[in-house]
PDB file of all heavy atoms in Angstrom:
ATOM      1  N   GLU A1422       0.822  -1.212   0.000  1.00 95.00           N
ATOM      2  CA  GLU A1422       0.000   0.000   0.000  1.00 95.00           C
ATOM      3  C   GLU A1422       0.857   1.264   0.000  1.00 95.00           C
ATOM      4  O   GLU A1422       0.526   2.250  -0.674  1.00 95.00           O
ATOM      5  CB  GLU A1422      -0.929  -0.002   1.220  1.00 95.00           C
ATOM      6  CG  GLU A1422      -2.051  -1.021   1.164  1.00 95.00           C
ATOM      7  CD  GLU A1422      -1.575  -2.448   1.436  1.00 95.00           C
ATOM      8  OE1 GLU A1422      -0.462  -2.603   1.984  1.00 95.00           O
ATOM      9  OE2 GLU A1422      -2.319  -3.389   1.105  1.00 95.00           O
ATOM     10  N   GLN A1423       1.955   1.248   0.745  1.00 96.00           N
ATOM     11  CA  GLN A1423       2.850   2.407   0.753  1.00 96.00           C
ATOM     12  C   GLN A1423       3.475   2.623  -0.624  1.00 96.00           C
ATOM     13  O   GLN A1423       3.618   3.759  -1.072  1.00 96.00           O
ATOM     14  CB  GLN A1423       3.945   2.210   1.805  1.00 96.00           C
ATOM     15  CG  GLN A1423       3.477   2.368   3.237  1.00 96.00           C
ATOM     16  CD  GLN A1423       4.582   2.025   4.232  1.00 96.00           C
ATOM     17  OE1 GLN A1423       5.157   0.934   4.198  1.00 96.00           O
ATOM     18  NE2 GLN A1423       4.885   2.963   5.112  1.00 96.00           N
ATOM     19  N   ALA A1424       3.847   1.540  -1.279  1.00 96.00           N
ATOM     20  CA  ALA A1424       4.419   1.658  -2.614  1.00 96.00           C
ATOM     21  C   ALA A1424       3.392   2.203  -3.602  1.00 96.00           C
ATOM     22  O   ALA A1424       3.703   3.073  -4.418  1.00 96.00           O
ATOM     23  CB  ALA A1424       4.937   0.299  -3.086  1.00 96.00           C
ATOM     24  N   ARG A1425       2.175   1.706  -3.530  1.00 96.00           N
ATOM     25  CA  ARG A1425       1.111   2.186  -4.425  1.00 96.00           C
ATOM     26  C   ARG A1425       0.844   3.666  -4.201  1.00 96.00           C
ATOM     27  O   ARG A1425       0.736   4.441  -5.167  1.00 96.00           O
ATOM     28  CB  ARG A1425      -0.176   1.395  -4.193  1.00 96.00           C
ATOM     29  CG  ARG A1425      -1.347   1.820  -5.083  1.00 96.00           C
ATOM     30  CD  ARG A1425      -2.654   1.299  -4.539  1.00 96.00           C
ATOM     31  NE  ARG A1425      -2.899   1.802  -3.186  1.00 96.00           N
ATOM     32  CZ  ARG A1425      -3.736   1.228  -2.320  1.00 96.00           C
ATOM     33  NH1 ARG A1425      -4.384   0.130  -2.646  1.00 96.00           N
ATOM     34  NH2 ARG A1425      -3.901   1.754  -1.114  1.00 96.00           N
ATOM     35  N   ASP A1426       0.743   4.080  -2.946  1.00 95.00           N
ATOM     36  CA  ASP A1426       0.494   5.495  -2.656  1.00 95.00           C
ATOM     37  C   ASP A1426       1.639   6.366  -3.176  1.00 95.00           C
ATOM     38  O   ASP A1426       1.417   7.479  -3.662  1.00 95.00           O
ATOM     39  CB  ASP A1426       0.327   5.708  -1.148  1.00 95.00           C
ATOM     40  CG  ASP A1426      -0.947   5.061  -0.612  1.00 95.00           C
ATOM     41  OD1 ASP A1426      -1.823   4.689  -1.425  1.00 95.00           O
ATOM     42  OD2 ASP A1426      -1.056   4.901   0.627  1.00 95.00           O
ATOM     43  N   ALA A1427       2.878   5.859  -3.084  1.00 96.00           N
ATOM     44  CA  ALA A1427       4.022   6.618  -3.585  1.00 96.00           C
ATOM     45  C   ALA A1427       3.950   6.763  -5.097  1.00 96.00           C
ATOM     46  O   ALA A1427       4.243   7.838  -5.642  1.00 96.00           O
ATOM     47  CB  ALA A1427       5.325   5.926  -3.180  1.00 96.00           C
ATOM     48  N   VAL A1428       3.571   5.704  -5.793  1.00 96.00           N
ATOM     49  CA  VAL A1428       3.440   5.772  -7.252  1.00 96.00           C
ATOM     50  C   VAL A1428       2.409   6.825  -7.647  1.00 96.00           C
ATOM     51  O   VAL A1428       2.642   7.650  -8.539  1.00 96.00           O
ATOM     52  CB  VAL A1428       3.054   4.391  -7.829  1.00 96.00           C
ATOM     53  CG1 VAL A1428       2.688   4.514  -9.312  1.00 96.00           C
ATOM     54  CG2 VAL A1428       4.192   3.398  -7.649  1.00 96.00           C
ATOM     55  N   VAL A1429       1.271   6.811  -6.967  1.00 95.00           N
ATOM     56  CA  VAL A1429       0.205   7.780  -7.274  1.00 95.00           C
ATOM     57  C   VAL A1429       0.690   9.206  -7.041  1.00 95.00           C
ATOM     58  O   VAL A1429       0.485  10.098  -7.874  1.00 95.00           O
ATOM     59  CB  VAL A1429      -1.045   7.493  -6.413  1.00 95.00           C
ATOM     60  CG1 VAL A1429      -2.066   8.615  -6.558  1.00 95.00           C
ATOM     61  CG2 VAL A1429      -1.665   6.159  -6.814  1.00 95.00           C
ATOM     62  N   GLU A1430       1.367   9.442  -5.925  1.00 96.00           N
ATOM     63  CA  GLU A1430       1.801  10.798  -5.591  1.00 96.00           C
ATOM     64  C   GLU A1430       2.926  11.266  -6.508  1.00 96.00           C
ATOM     65  O   GLU A1430       2.961  12.439  -6.914  1.00 96.00           O
ATOM     66  CB  GLU A1430       2.256  10.850  -4.132  1.00 96.00           C
ATOM     67  CG  GLU A1430       2.631  12.232  -3.635  1.00 96.00           C
ATOM     68  CD  GLU A1430       1.489  13.235  -3.713  1.00 96.00           C
ATOM     69  OE1 GLU A1430       0.318  12.800  -3.719  1.00 96.00           O
ATOM     70  OE2 GLU A1430       1.789  14.461  -3.787  1.00 96.00           O
ATOM     71  N   ILE A1431       3.849  10.389  -6.859  1.00 96.00           N
ATOM     72  CA  ILE A1431       4.933  10.773  -7.767  1.00 96.00           C
ATOM     73  C   ILE A1431       4.378  11.093  -9.142  1.00 96.00           C
ATOM     74  O   ILE A1431       4.797  12.061  -9.789  1.00 96.00           O
ATOM     75  CB  ILE A1431       5.984   9.646  -7.831  1.00 96.00           C
ATOM     76  CG1 ILE A1431       6.752   9.574  -6.502  1.00 96.00           C
ATOM     77  CG2 ILE A1431       6.959   9.865  -8.988  1.00 96.00           C
ATOM     78  CD1 ILE A1431       7.602   8.331  -6.349  1.00 96.00           C
ATOM     79  N   ALA A1432       3.417  10.302  -9.603  1.00 94.00           N
ATOM     80  CA  ALA A1432       2.782  10.590 -10.894  1.00 94.00           C
ATOM     81  C   ALA A1432       2.043  11.925 -10.854  1.00 94.00           C
ATOM     82  O   ALA A1432       2.065  12.698 -11.816  1.00 94.00           O
ATOM     83  CB  ALA A1432       1.831   9.464 -11.276  1.00 94.00           C
ATOM     84  N   ARG A1433       1.396  12.207  -9.723  1.00 94.00           N
ATOM     85  CA  ARG A1433       0.636  13.455  -9.599  1.00 94.00           C
ATOM     86  C   ARG A1433       1.550  14.670  -9.620  1.00 94.00           C
ATOM     87  O   ARG A1433       1.166  15.732 -10.139  1.00 94.00           O
ATOM     88  CB  ARG A1433      -0.170  13.433  -8.296  1.00 94.00           C
ATOM     89  CG  ARG A1433      -1.142  14.598  -8.148  1.00 94.00           C
ATOM     90  CD  ARG A1433      -1.770  14.621  -6.770  1.00 94.00           C
ATOM     91  NE  ARG A1433      -0.805  14.976  -5.747  1.00 94.00           N
ATOM     92  CZ  ARG A1433      -0.431  16.230  -5.475  1.00 94.00           C
ATOM     93  NH1 ARG A1433      -0.932  17.251  -6.158  1.00 94.00           N
ATOM     94  NH2 ARG A1433       0.440  16.465  -4.509  1.00 94.00           N
ATOM     95  N   ARG A1434       2.757  14.538  -9.093  1.00 93.00           N
ATOM     96  CA  ARG A1434       3.667  15.680  -9.009  1.00 93.00           C
ATOM     97  C   ARG A1434       4.399  15.955 -10.320  1.00 93.00           C
ATOM     98  O   ARG A1434       5.104  16.958 -10.422  1.00 93.00           O
ATOM     99  CB  ARG A1434       4.681  15.461  -7.885  1.00 93.00           C
ATOM    100  CG  ARG A1434       4.035  15.378  -6.508  1.00 93.00           C
ATOM    101  CD  ARG A1434       5.035  15.450  -5.377  1.00 93.00           C
ATOM    102  NE  ARG A1434       4.362  15.307  -4.091  1.00 93.00           N
ATOM    103  CZ  ARG A1434       4.864  15.714  -2.936  1.00 93.00           C
ATOM    104  NH1 ARG A1434       6.064  16.293  -2.909  1.00 93.00           N
ATOM    105  NH2 ARG A1434       4.193  15.549  -1.808  1.00 93.00           N
ATOM    106  N   GLY A1435       4.269  15.096 -11.305  1.00 91.00           N
ATOM    107  CA  GLY A1435       4.884  15.316 -12.606  1.00 91.00           C
ATOM    108  C   GLY A1435       3.837  15.657 -13.641  1.00 91.00           C
ATOM    109  O   GLY A1435       2.633  15.658 -13.361  1.00 91.00           O
ATOM    110  N   PRO A1436       4.262  15.960 -14.870  1.00 90.00           N
ATOM    111  CA  PRO A1436       3.307  16.212 -15.951  1.00 90.00           C
ATOM    112  C   PRO A1436       2.380  15.021 -16.146  1.00 90.00           C
ATOM    113  O   PRO A1436       2.806  13.867 -16.028  1.00 90.00           O
ATOM    114  CB  PRO A1436       4.200  16.436 -17.171  1.00 90.00           C
ATOM    115  CG  PRO A1436       5.520  16.853 -16.608  1.00 90.00           C
ATOM    116  CD  PRO A1436       5.655  16.119 -15.309  1.00 90.00           C
ATOM    117  N   PHE A1437       1.153  15.286 -16.493  1.00 85.00           N
ATOM    118  CA  PHE A1437       0.150  14.223 -16.634  1.00 85.00           C
ATOM    119  C   PHE A1437       0.591  13.208 -17.687  1.00 85.00           C
ATOM    120  O   PHE A1437       0.927  13.564 -18.814  1.00 85.00           O
ATOM    121  CB  PHE A1437      -1.201  14.821 -17.031  1.00 85.00           C
ATOM    122  CG  PHE A1437      -2.262  13.789 -17.284  1.00 85.00           C
ATOM    123  CD1 PHE A1437      -2.864  13.143 -16.225  1.00 85.00           C
ATOM    124  CD2 PHE A1437      -2.622  13.436 -18.581  1.00 85.00           C
ATOM    125  CE1 PHE A1437      -3.844  12.187 -16.452  1.00 85.00           C
ATOM    126  CE2 PHE A1437      -3.584  12.485 -18.813  1.00 85.00           C
ATOM    127  CZ  PHE A1437      -4.205  11.854 -17.739  1.00 85.00           C
ATOM    128  N   GLY A1438       0.596  11.942 -17.295  1.00 86.00           N
ATOM    129  CA  GLY A1438       0.899  10.875 -18.238  1.00 86.00           C
ATOM    130  C   GLY A1438       2.368  10.607 -18.460  1.00 86.00           C
ATOM    131  O   GLY A1438       2.722   9.728 -19.248  1.00 86.00           O
ATOM    132  N   ARG A1439       3.261  11.328 -17.780  1.00 92.00           N
ATOM    133  CA  ARG A1439       4.678  11.138 -18.062  1.00 92.00           C
ATOM    134  C   ARG A1439       5.207   9.836 -17.459  1.00 92.00           C
ATOM    135  O   ARG A1439       6.008   9.143 -18.087  1.00 92.00           O
ATOM    136  CB  ARG A1439       5.494  12.315 -17.544  1.00 92.00           C
ATOM    137  CG  ARG A1439       6.993  12.097 -17.710  1.00 92.00           C
ATOM    138  CD  ARG A1439       7.787  13.348 -17.815  1.00 92.00           C
ATOM    139  NE  ARG A1439       9.189  13.054 -18.114  1.00 92.00           N
ATOM    140  CZ  ARG A1439      10.107  13.980 -18.348  1.00 92.00           C
ATOM    141  NH1 ARG A1439       9.756  15.263 -18.331  1.00 92.00           N
ATOM    142  NH2 ARG A1439      11.346  13.637 -18.611  1.00 92.00           N
ATOM    143  N   LEU A1440       4.822   9.506 -16.235  1.00 94.00           N
ATOM    144  CA  LEU A1440       5.295   8.285 -15.603  1.00 94.00           C
ATOM    145  C   LEU A1440       4.659   7.089 -16.311  1.00 94.00           C
ATOM    146  O   LEU A1440       3.457   6.844 -16.201  1.00 94.00           O
ATOM    147  CB  LEU A1440       4.943   8.267 -14.116  1.00 94.00           C
ATOM    148  CG  LEU A1440       5.429   7.054 -13.316  1.00 94.00           C
ATOM    149  CD1 LEU A1440       6.937   6.906 -13.386  1.00 94.00           C
ATOM    150  CD2 LEU A1440       4.969   7.140 -11.866  1.00 94.00           C
ATOM    151  N   ARG A1441       5.478   6.347 -17.052  1.00 92.00           N
ATOM    152  CA  ARG A1441       4.946   5.305 -17.927  1.00 92.00           C
ATOM    153  C   ARG A1441       5.267   3.890 -17.483  1.00 92.00           C
ATOM    154  O   ARG A1441       4.588   2.953 -17.875  1.00 92.00           O
ATOM    155  CB  ARG A1441       5.494   5.505 -19.351  1.00 92.00           C
ATOM    156  CG  ARG A1441       4.951   6.733 -20.049  1.00 92.00           C
ATOM    157  CD  ARG A1441       5.764   7.047 -21.293  1.00 92.00           C
ATOM    158  NE  ARG A1441       6.977   7.801 -20.966  1.00 92.00           N
ATOM    159  CZ  ARG A1441       7.985   7.977 -21.811  1.00 92.00           C
ATOM    160  NH1 ARG A1441       7.938   7.432 -23.009  1.00 92.00           N
ATOM    161  NH2 ARG A1441       9.042   8.687 -21.463  1.00 92.00           N
ATOM    162  N   GLU A1442       6.328   3.692 -16.714  1.00 95.00           N
ATOM    163  CA  GLU A1442       6.741   2.349 -16.325  1.00 95.00           C
ATOM    164  C   GLU A1442       7.013   2.303 -14.823  1.00 95.00           C
ATOM    165  O   GLU A1442       7.649   3.204 -14.273  1.00 95.00           O
ATOM    166  CB  GLU A1442       8.017   1.927 -17.070  1.00 95.00           C
ATOM    167  CG  GLU A1442       7.897   1.932 -18.591  1.00 95.00           C
ATOM    168  CD  GLU A1442       7.065   0.775 -19.121  1.00 95.00           C
ATOM    169  OE1 GLU A1442       6.678  -0.104 -18.320  1.00 95.00           O
ATOM    170  OE2 GLU A1442       6.795   0.743 -20.334  1.00 95.00           O
ATOM    171  N   VAL A1443       6.518   1.246 -14.168  1.00 96.00           N
ATOM    172  CA  VAL A1443       6.753   1.037 -12.739  1.00 96.00           C
ATOM    173  C   VAL A1443       7.298  -0.371 -12.551  1.00 96.00           C
ATOM    174  O   VAL A1443       6.703  -1.352 -13.018  1.00 96.00           O
ATOM    175  CB  VAL A1443       5.464   1.236 -11.910  1.00 96.00           C
ATOM    176  CG1 VAL A1443       5.729   0.927 -10.432  1.00 96.00           C
ATOM    177  CG2 VAL A1443       4.932   2.653 -12.078  1.00 96.00           C
ATOM    178  N   LEU A1444       8.423  -0.474 -11.871  1.00 97.00           N
ATOM    179  CA  LEU A1444       9.071  -1.750 -11.589  1.00 97.00           C
ATOM    180  C   LEU A1444       9.080  -1.946 -10.076  1.00 97.00           C
ATOM    181  O   LEU A1444       9.662  -1.140  -9.349  1.00 97.00           O
ATOM    182  CB  LEU A1444      10.497  -1.738 -12.144  1.00 97.00           C
ATOM    183  CG  LEU A1444      11.258  -3.057 -12.233  1.00 97.00           C
ATOM    184  CD1 LEU A1444      10.585  -3.996 -13.224  1.00 97.00           C
ATOM    185  CD2 LEU A1444      12.700  -2.804 -12.659  1.00 97.00           C
ATOM    186  N   LEU A1445       8.436  -2.996  -9.594  1.00 98.00           N
ATOM    187  CA  LEU A1445       8.309  -3.239  -8.158  1.00 98.00           C
ATOM    188  C   LEU A1445       9.414  -4.181  -7.690  1.00 98.00           C
ATOM    189  O   LEU A1445       9.594  -5.272  -8.230  1.00 98.00           O
ATOM    190  CB  LEU A1445       6.934  -3.834  -7.834  1.00 98.00           C
ATOM    191  CG  LEU A1445       5.733  -2.964  -8.224  1.00 98.00           C
ATOM    192  CD1 LEU A1445       4.432  -3.683  -7.884  1.00 98.00           C
ATOM    193  CD2 LEU A1445       5.787  -1.603  -7.552  1.00 98.00           C
ATOM    194  N   LEU A1446      10.135  -3.765  -6.656  1.00 98.00           N
ATOM    195  CA  LEU A1446      11.335  -4.453  -6.194  1.00 98.00           C
ATOM    196  C   LEU A1446      11.123  -5.149  -4.848  1.00 98.00           C
ATOM    197  O   LEU A1446      10.207  -4.797  -4.090  1.00 98.00           O
ATOM    198  CB  LEU A1446      12.493  -3.456  -6.041  1.00 98.00           C
ATOM    199  CG  LEU A1446      12.830  -2.564  -7.239  1.00 98.00           C
ATOM    200  CD1 LEU A1446      13.774  -1.446  -6.807  1.00 98.00           C
ATOM    201  CD2 LEU A1446      13.438  -3.386  -8.364  1.00 98.00           C
ATOM    202  N   HIS A1447      12.006  -6.114  -4.563  1.00 96.00           N
ATOM    203  CA  HIS A1447      12.260  -6.615  -3.200  1.00 96.00           C
ATOM    204  C   HIS A1447      11.026  -7.208  -2.527  1.00 96.00           C
ATOM    205  O   HIS A1447      10.802  -7.001  -1.324  1.00 96.00           O
ATOM    206  CB  HIS A1447      12.836  -5.493  -2.342  1.00 96.00           C
ATOM    207  CG  HIS A1447      13.871  -5.951  -1.351  1.00 96.00           C
ATOM    208  ND1 HIS A1447      13.640  -6.936  -0.426  1.00 96.00           N
ATOM    209  CD2 HIS A1447      15.150  -5.546  -1.141  1.00 96.00           C
ATOM    210  CE1 HIS A1447      14.713  -7.120   0.309  1.00 96.00           C
ATOM    211  NE2 HIS A1447      15.658  -6.294  -0.118  1.00 96.00           N
ATOM    212  N   ARG A1448      10.213  -7.962  -3.253  1.00 96.00           N
ATOM    213  CA  ARG A1448       9.047  -8.604  -2.646  1.00 96.00           C
ATOM    214  C   ARG A1448       9.493  -9.697  -1.685  1.00 96.00           C
ATOM    215  O   ARG A1448      10.297 -10.560  -2.018  1.00 96.00           O
ATOM    216  CB  ARG A1448       8.145  -9.178  -3.739  1.00 96.00           C
ATOM    217  CG  ARG A1448       6.961  -9.990  -3.196  1.00 96.00           C
ATOM    218  CD  ARG A1448       5.987 -10.341  -4.301  1.00 96.00           C
ATOM    219  NE  ARG A1448       6.637 -10.919  -5.452  1.00 96.00           N
ATOM    220  CZ  ARG A1448       6.965 -12.205  -5.559  1.00 96.00           C
ATOM    221  NH1 ARG A1448       6.738 -13.031  -4.540  1.00 96.00           N
ATOM    222  NH2 ARG A1448       7.527 -12.656  -6.658  1.00 96.00           N
ATOM    223  N   SER A1449       8.945  -9.676  -0.476  1.00 94.00           N
ATOM    224  CA  SER A1449       9.269 -10.679   0.530  1.00 94.00           C
ATOM    225  C   SER A1449       8.666 -12.022   0.136  1.00 94.00           C
ATOM    226  O   SER A1449       7.496 -12.107  -0.241  1.00 94.00           O
ATOM    227  CB  SER A1449       8.741 -10.245   1.896  1.00 94.00           C
ATOM    228  OG  SER A1449       8.849 -11.297   2.834  1.00 94.00           O
ATOM    229  N   SER A1450       9.453 -13.088   0.264  1.00 91.00           N
ATOM    230  CA  SER A1450       8.953 -14.426  -0.061  1.00 91.00           C
ATOM    231  C   SER A1450       8.088 -14.986   1.064  1.00 91.00           C
ATOM    232  O   SER A1450       7.267 -15.881   0.832  1.00 91.00           O
ATOM    233  CB  SER A1450      10.121 -15.373  -0.335  1.00 91.00           C
ATOM    234  OG  SER A1450      10.977 -15.463   0.794  1.00 91.00           O
ATOM    235  N   GLN A1451       8.247 -14.466   2.285  1.00 91.00           N
ATOM    236  CA  GLN A1451       7.500 -14.963   3.432  1.00 91.00           C
ATOM    237  C   GLN A1451       6.276 -14.117   3.758  1.00 91.00           C
ATOM    238  O   GLN A1451       5.286 -14.642   4.266  1.00 91.00           O
ATOM    239  CB  GLN A1451       8.409 -15.020   4.665  1.00 91.00           C
ATOM    240  CG  GLN A1451       9.548 -16.027   4.563  1.00 91.00           C
ATOM    241  CD  GLN A1451      10.424 -15.999   5.799  1.00 91.00           C
ATOM    242  OE1 GLN A1451      10.977 -14.965   6.159  1.00 91.00           O
ATOM    243  NE2 GLN A1451      10.549 -17.143   6.467  1.00 91.00           N
ATOM    244  N   CYS A1452       6.360 -12.823   3.498  1.00 93.00           N
ATOM    245  CA  CYS A1452       5.307 -11.911   3.946  1.00 93.00           C
ATOM    246  C   CYS A1452       4.652 -11.147   2.800  1.00 93.00           C
ATOM    247  O   CYS A1452       4.135 -10.045   2.995  1.00 93.00           O
ATOM    248  CB  CYS A1452       5.868 -10.926   4.976  1.00 93.00           C
ATOM    249  SG  CYS A1452       6.436 -11.746   6.481  1.00 93.00           S
ATOM    250  N   ASN A1453       4.704 -11.723   1.602  1.00 94.00           N
ATOM    251  CA  ASN A1453       4.039 -11.108   0.456  1.00 94.00           C
ATOM    252  C   ASN A1453       3.792 -12.192  -0.580  1.00 94.00           C
ATOM    253  O   ASN A1453       4.349 -13.290  -0.493  1.00 94.00           O
ATOM    254  CB  ASN A1453       4.888  -9.981  -0.126  1.00 94.00           C
ATOM    255  CG  ASN A1453       4.051  -8.908  -0.800  1.00 94.00           C
ATOM    256  OD1 ASN A1453       2.855  -9.076  -1.018  1.00 94.00           O
ATOM    257  ND2 ASN A1453       4.672  -7.792  -1.121  1.00 94.00           N
ATOM    258  N   HIS A1454       2.980 -11.853  -1.569  1.00 95.00           N
ATOM    259  CA  HIS A1454       2.669 -12.822  -2.623  1.00 95.00           C
ATOM    260  C   HIS A1454       2.317 -12.046  -3.889  1.00 95.00           C
ATOM    261  O   HIS A1454       1.712 -10.959  -3.805  1.00 95.00           O
ATOM    262  CB  HIS A1454       1.491 -13.707  -2.203  1.00 95.00           C
ATOM    263  CG  HIS A1454       1.278 -14.881  -3.098  1.00 95.00           C
ATOM    264  ND1 HIS A1454       0.522 -14.804  -4.253  1.00 95.00           N
ATOM    265  CD2 HIS A1454       1.734 -16.159  -3.016  1.00 95.00           C
ATOM    266  CE1 HIS A1454       0.518 -15.983  -4.848  1.00 95.00           C
ATOM    267  NE2 HIS A1454       1.244 -16.826  -4.127  1.00 95.00           N
ATOM    268  N   PRO A1455       2.687 -12.556  -5.070  1.00 96.00           N
ATOM    269  CA  PRO A1455       2.362 -11.833  -6.309  1.00 96.00           C
ATOM    270  C   PRO A1455       0.883 -11.482  -6.440  1.00 96.00           C
ATOM    271  O   PRO A1455       0.538 -10.408  -6.953  1.00 96.00           O
ATOM    272  CB  PRO A1455       2.795 -12.820  -7.403  1.00 96.00           C
ATOM    273  CG  PRO A1455       3.878 -13.630  -6.777  1.00 96.00           C
ATOM    274  CD  PRO A1455       3.499 -13.768  -5.336  1.00 96.00           C
ATOM    275  N   THR A1456       0.003 -12.372  -5.959  1.00 96.00           N
ATOM    276  CA  THR A1456      -1.431 -12.083  -6.028  1.00 96.00           C
ATOM    277  C   THR A1456      -1.792 -10.881  -5.163  1.00 96.00           C
ATOM    278  O   THR A1456      -2.621 -10.041  -5.549  1.00 96.00           O
ATOM    279  CB  THR A1456      -2.248 -13.312  -5.583  1.00 96.00           C
ATOM    280  OG1 THR A1456      -1.903 -14.431  -6.387  1.00 96.00           O
ATOM    281  CG2 THR A1456      -3.736 -13.039  -5.707  1.00 96.00           C
ATOM    282  N   LYS A1457      -1.186 -10.782  -3.988  1.00 96.00           N
ATOM    283  CA  LYS A1457      -1.423  -9.636  -3.110  1.00 96.00           C
ATOM    284  C   LYS A1457      -0.981  -8.341  -3.785  1.00 96.00           C
ATOM    285  O   LYS A1457      -1.662  -7.309  -3.702  1.00 96.00           O
ATOM    286  CB  LYS A1457      -0.662  -9.812  -1.789  1.00 96.00           C
ATOM    287  CG  LYS A1457      -1.122 -10.982  -0.937  1.00 96.00           C
ATOM    288  CD  LYS A1457      -2.406 -10.655  -0.192  1.00 96.00           C
ATOM    289  CE  LYS A1457      -2.736 -11.745   0.808  1.00 96.00           C
ATOM    290  NZ  LYS A1457      -3.994 -11.443   1.554  1.00 96.00           N
ATOM    291  N   VAL A1458       0.174  -8.383  -4.449  1.00 96.00           N
ATOM    292  CA  VAL A1458       0.689  -7.194  -5.125  1.00 96.00           C
ATOM    293  C   VAL A1458      -0.237  -6.798  -6.269  1.00 96.00           C
ATOM    294  O   VAL A1458      -0.584  -5.624  -6.429  1.00 96.00           O
ATOM    295  CB  VAL A1458       2.116  -7.438  -5.646  1.00 96.00           C
ATOM    296  CG1 VAL A1458       2.644  -6.202  -6.354  1.00 96.00           C
ATOM    297  CG2 VAL A1458       3.048  -7.819  -4.489  1.00 96.00           C
ATOM    298  N   ARG A1459      -0.632  -7.777  -7.093  1.00 94.00           N
ATOM    299  CA  ARG A1459      -1.522  -7.480  -8.225  1.00 94.00           C
ATOM    300  C   ARG A1459      -2.839  -6.883  -7.747  1.00 94.00           C
ATOM    301  O   ARG A1459      -3.346  -5.924  -8.341  1.00 94.00           O
ATOM    302  CB  ARG A1459      -1.778  -8.746  -9.031  1.00 94.00           C
ATOM    303  CG  ARG A1459      -0.624  -9.161  -9.930  1.00 94.00           C
ATOM    304  CD  ARG A1459      -1.076 -10.196 -10.952  1.00 94.00           C
ATOM    305  NE  ARG A1459      -1.461 -11.439 -10.310  1.00 94.00           N
ATOM    306  CZ  ARG A1459      -0.613 -12.450 -10.063  1.00 94.00           C
ATOM    307  NH1 ARG A1459       0.657 -12.339 -10.419  1.00 94.00           N
ATOM    308  NH2 ARG A1459      -1.041 -13.547  -9.483  1.00 94.00           N
ATOM    309  N   LYS A1460      -3.376  -7.423  -6.680  1.00 94.00           N
ATOM    310  CA  LYS A1460      -4.649  -6.908  -6.159  1.00 94.00           C
ATOM    311  C   LYS A1460      -4.499  -5.472  -5.677  1.00 94.00           C
ATOM    312  O   LYS A1460      -5.380  -4.630  -5.885  1.00 94.00           O
ATOM    313  CB  LYS A1460      -5.141  -7.805  -5.025  1.00 94.00           C
ATOM    314  CG  LYS A1460      -6.494  -7.395  -4.460  1.00 94.00           C
ATOM    315  CD  LYS A1460      -6.954  -8.366  -3.384  1.00 94.00           C
ATOM    316  CE  LYS A1460      -8.308  -7.946  -2.812  1.00 94.00           C
ATOM    317  NZ  LYS A1460      -8.769  -8.895  -1.742  1.00 94.00           N
ATOM    318  N   CYS A1461      -3.369  -5.183  -5.038  1.00 94.00           N
ATOM    319  CA  CYS A1461      -3.135  -3.842  -4.507  1.00 94.00           C
ATOM    320  C   CYS A1461      -3.026  -2.806  -5.626  1.00 94.00           C
ATOM    321  O   CYS A1461      -3.511  -1.686  -5.495  1.00 94.00           O
ATOM    322  CB  CYS A1461      -1.873  -3.838  -3.648  1.00 94.00           C
ATOM    323  SG  CYS A1461      -1.505  -2.255  -2.867  1.00 94.00           S
ATOM    324  N   PHE A1462      -2.384  -3.189  -6.745  1.00 94.00           N
ATOM    325  CA  PHE A1462      -2.151  -2.239  -7.831  1.00 94.00           C
ATOM    326  C   PHE A1462      -3.192  -2.327  -8.942  1.00 94.00           C
ATOM    327  O   PHE A1462      -3.107  -1.581  -9.923  1.00 94.00           O
ATOM    328  CB  PHE A1462      -0.754  -2.466  -8.430  1.00 94.00           C
ATOM    329  CG  PHE A1462       0.359  -1.914  -7.585  1.00 94.00           C
ATOM    330  CD1 PHE A1462       0.864  -2.631  -6.516  1.00 94.00           C
ATOM    331  CD2 PHE A1462       0.895  -0.665  -7.860  1.00 94.00           C
ATOM    332  CE1 PHE A1462       1.885  -2.124  -5.728  1.00 94.00           C
ATOM    333  CE2 PHE A1462       1.911  -0.138  -7.078  1.00 94.00           C
ATOM    334  CZ  PHE A1462       2.410  -0.876  -6.004  1.00 94.00           C
TER     335      PHE A1462
END
């Protein structure tokens, strides 16, 4: 959720539509799951 909120705010602070690619890093193997990430974003 913190990562998603950061993406939204960074996109808002730049010209509309400029932020085109987002790469998500360092997913925990024990405390996260790809499905959880997809649902969040």
